[in-house]
Amino acid sequence: MKLIRQQIGQMIDNAGNAIRQVFRGKINLTKSADKIQKVQVSALADETLQDVELMQQFGFTSHPPSGTEALIIPIGGKTSHSVVVATENGQFRVKALKTGEVAIYDQSGSSIVLKQGKVIDINCTTLNITAPTINIKGNITQKGSITNNGDVTSSGVSLVGHTHTGDSGGTTSPPN
């Protein structure tokens, strides 16, 4: 009976060893045009995996640069049907976050950091916002100049359409 248990144990071990476990690799290139991105990954023992699906959380997507570390799960233990479930690139990652802070970043150094104390830091060269209406509650502090291609109204007074009472009685014409 002991011999049978040993043989069964050995068979289970052999079967388990034949199934590929989760492993690490490095992304070489990314194809981002399809519904699900696919990557080429260099893995252990100089193997290169082609068209590995890159699974990402809904609402978040990235195009990881070459050299990004990847955590790869072989579906059903088969390397030929693997998926990348996590990526990390310490070269570009925002470092020294405090507990609970969150960052979105790219390889050029742009970042959005949600910080403790309800503070959001945005670091970029140009910030483009496309919205028909922007509502801000609170004060705005501005450093630098503002260029505007439309009217500015403050407390109901139009910068373009306002007039002043003239020194000699009447009103001035609106600004040009």
Side-chain angles (χ1 to χ4, degrees):
M1 188 67 149
K2 184 176 179 181
L3 180 60
I4 292 174
R5 274 190 248 143
Q6 287 176 337
Q7 288 175 338
I8 291 173
Q10 185 62 45
M11 289 170 51
I12 290 171
D13 286 346
N14 289 344
N17 291 336
I19 297 173
R20 184 83 185 255
Q21 302 297 312
V22 174
F23 60 100
R24 295 174 77 137
K26 284 195 180 203
I27 293 175
N28 298 324
L29 61 91
T30 302
K31 296 182 204 172
S32 66
D34 294 337
K35 289 182 180 180
I36 294 178
Q37 291 188 86
K38 295 193 171 91
V39 294
Q40 180 192 71
V41 180
S42 292
L44 306 170
D46 295 328
E47 65 182 323
T48 301
L49 308 176
Q50 303 291 338
D51 293 329
V52 178
E53 293 177 338
L54 174 59
M55 304 301 288
Q56 300 181 18
Q57 293 294 329
F58 174 79
F60 294 90
T61 189
S62 68
H63 184 137
S66 179
T68 297
E69 298 281 337
L71 185 62
I72 304 152
I73 297 177
I75 304 296
K78 297 181 188 282
T79 304
S80 61
H81 187 199
S82 295
V83 295
V84 172
V85 294
T87 60
E88 174 68 75
N89 195 317
Q91 180 180 353
F92 306 111
R93 182 178 56 82
V94 175
K95 296 168 184 70
L97 294 175
K98 294 180 181 169
T99 301
E101 293 183 339
V102 176
I104 300 171
Y105 61 93
D106 69 4
Q107 71 181 28
S108 70
S110 297
S111 63
I112 300 173
V113 181
L114 283 62
K115 302 181 78 134
Q116 292 179 354
K118 292 186 174 183
V119 173
I120 299 174
D121 285 345
I122 300 174
N123 180 5
C124 62
T125 302
T126 302
L127 176 63
N128 298 315
I129 299 173
T130 303
T133 303
I134 297 174
N135 297 307
I136 300 171
K137 291 184 179 183
N139 299 322
I140 297 175
T141 302
Q142 161 69 31
K143 292 182 182 178
S145 61
I146 296 176
T147 302
N148 179 42
N149 293 326
D151 193 8
V152 175
T153 303
S154 178
S155 298
V157 178
S158 163
L159 187 63
V160 172
H162 75 279
T163 59
H164 294 273
T165 302
D167 292 339
S168 57
T171 58
T172 62
S173 59
N176 293 346

